[in-house]
Amino acid sequence: MTMAIPENDSYQLAGKSYHSRLIVGTGKYADFEQTKEAIALTGAEIVTVAVRRVNITDPTQPNLLDYITPDKYTILPNTAGCYTAEDAVRTCRLAREAGVGKLVKLEVIGDERNLYPDVTATIEAAAELVKDGFDVLPYITDDPVACKKLEDVGCAAVMPLAAPIGSGLGIRNPYSIKIILEQSSVPVIVDAGVGTASDAAFAMELGCTAVLMNTAIAGADDPLAMARAMNLAVDAGRTAFLAGRIGKKLYASASSPITDLIG
Amino acid sequence: MKLVVNGEKQEFSGQPTIAGLLDELGLSGKKLAVELNRTVVQKTEWESTDLHDDDSLEIVHFVGGG
């Protein structure tokens, strides 16, 4: 697929250069084959995975990393399901030991119903992980103060939510995202809450570095079609951002010449 | 020897090291990580790390997630 995006439009994350601004999760797909196919269609270079107990009663089960291979993708383990800083740090240490590097998506959840992050525990865990040598990408509320604190403790990016995880509500507070963009000197990645292609395009139009999603693709009626739609949307939004949109005006501005009309 | 592996009580009679346990569970050679009593044990230490009665282990790997 040919895209209008400039070849040199890339961004740096934890010392590595990426071209695709779409980061995708691997949860909720029908099977590993579908996961692999959908992720290929998104064009993503970074994929998130979760850390869970091995099924010790059936060790022959297939492994996700046989389908989403670390030679092709940057594997980004998450700490989803952790409710304390301690559990999140333990999970990151386990993930690093499993051999996919030191980049981690930090989530410390504060409420099981809305899955909003526990901000103080997230900052605490982030500080400890940075000290331990991790490149930390924290999932956080769309709160400029929390984002600033995470940047100050040394996070490699900040990842404000668009809306609650899996809600599909899109970017609920673009003005907060704009403030976060203005103040941050690390990449700003919108994480969670995207519902459809226009939401992803909007994140890019705001100037976000990247957008991270899972349910919007895996939960669509046709995940493969939505994977392609998100790929196109992120490129469209990014290209529009680079193109520089027109200003918003209250009154009309004619597109056709207003002189030399017939008498 | 009594161990707690991934939250389940297990009777284990094999070689009392982490490597021995993984071998008995059919998990040798898989991409995974191991915690012994809440501390991660590096792969290079699996052969030399002895297990004792009532040790608690977490054996994890990567699954789909967002």
Side-chain angles (χ1 to χ4, degrees):
Chain A
M1 213 181 305
T2 310
M3 299 289 178
I5 282 246
E7 279 298 311
N8 60 0
D9 180 42
S10 59
Y11 69 98
Q12 295 280 321
L13 185 64
K16 204 173 159 192
S17 182
Y18 296 97
H19 185 64
S20 171
R21 290 174 183 272
L22 182 52
I23 302 173
V24 294
T26 51
K28 296 185 177 175
Y29 286 101
D31 52 41
F32 287 153
E33 279 299 339
Q34 189 190 52
T35 313
K36 182 180 175 178
E37 213 176 329
I39 286 168
L41 287 168
T42 66
E45 295 165 294
I46 305 173
V47 300
T48 64
V49 298
V51 177
R52 290 292 180 271
R53 285 171 165 170
V54 169
N55 182 345
I56 53 172
T57 54
D58 182 10
T60 60
Q61 286 181 351
N63 189 286
L64 174 65
L65 293 194
D66 296 335
Y67 292 80
I68 305 296
T69 56
D71 61 329
K72 196 168 172 200
Y73 296 100
T74 294
I75 305 295
L76 175 58
N78 70 26
T79 64
C82 290
Y83 282 79
T84 63
E86 190 201 349
D87 280 351
V89 169
R90 279 174 70 199
T91 301
C92 289
R93 287 182 177 141
L94 279 165
R96 180 169 60 183
E97 197 46 41
V100 294
K102 55 183 185 155
L103 194 67
V104 288
K105 175 183 165 182
L106 173 64
E107 292 178 50
V108 186
I109 302 299
D111 182 285
E112 63 182 25
R113 196 142 171 254
N114 57 42
L115 297 180
Y116 262 52
D118 179 329
V119 174
T120 46
T122 302
I123 296 167
E124 184 193 328
E128 188 169 346
L129 288 165
V130 168
K131 263 187 224 146
D132 199 8
F134 285 93
D135 295 319
V136 182
L137 312 183
Y139 156 75
I140 195 70
T141 36
D142 54 357
D143 170 0
V145 176
C147 287
K148 188 71 180 65
K149 287 187 176 181
L150 287 165
E151 184 177 339
D152 288 347
V153 300
C155 289
V158 289
M159 304 211 295
L161 54 80
I165 294 171
S167 69
L169 290 171
I171 297 180
R172 293 296 79 214
N173 198 342
Y175 301 102
S176 278
I177 301 289
K178 277 190 178 185
I179 295 171
I180 294 163
L181 280 163
E182 203 180 273
Q183 72 176 22
S184 300
S185 50
V186 292
V188 176
I189 300 167
V190 161
D191 175 16
V194 164
T196 188
S198 52
D199 299 332
F202 188 32
M204 289 295 103
E205 288 167 9
L206 287 171
C208 295
T209 307
V211 58
L212 196 163
M213 65 183 74
N214 189 156
T215 309
I217 299 171
D221 288 344
D222 183 341
L224 301 186
M226 190 58 89
R228 182 168 170 273
M230 290 300 186
N231 189 346
L232 294 166
V234 166
D235 276 348
R238 177 65 185 172
T239 308
F241 173 74
L242 293 174
R245 60 154 297 152
I246 61 163
K248 291 181 181 177
K249 300 184 199 80
L250 192 56
Y251 291 100
S253 167
S255 316
S256 305
I258 52 169
T259 56
D260 300 328
L261 284 113
I262 56 167
Chain B
M1 179 188 299
K2 284 194 198 100
L3 299 173
V4 179
V5 182
N6 288 355
E8 304 272 334
K9 281 184 186 154
Q10 298 263 317
E11 263 304 326
F12 175 61
S13 56
Q15 197 200 347
T17 63
I18 289 178
L21 174 68
L22 292 176
D23 194 37
E24 173 146 317
L25 291 171
L27 293 169
S28 292
K30 301 212 181 256
K31 213 175 190 62
L32 40 80
V34 179
E35 219 184 38
L36 172 60
N37 301 327
R38 299 171 82 85
T39 302
V40 173
V41 182
Q42 292 188 354
K43 215 161 276 176
T44 50
E45 291 166 13
W46 288 354
E47 291 278 356
S48 58
T49 304
D50 291 332
L51 297 177
H52 304 96
D53 245 350
D54 298 323
D55 274 347
S56 178
L57 294 108
E58 294 286 348
I59 305 172
V60 302
H61 66 160
F62 295 122
V63 301

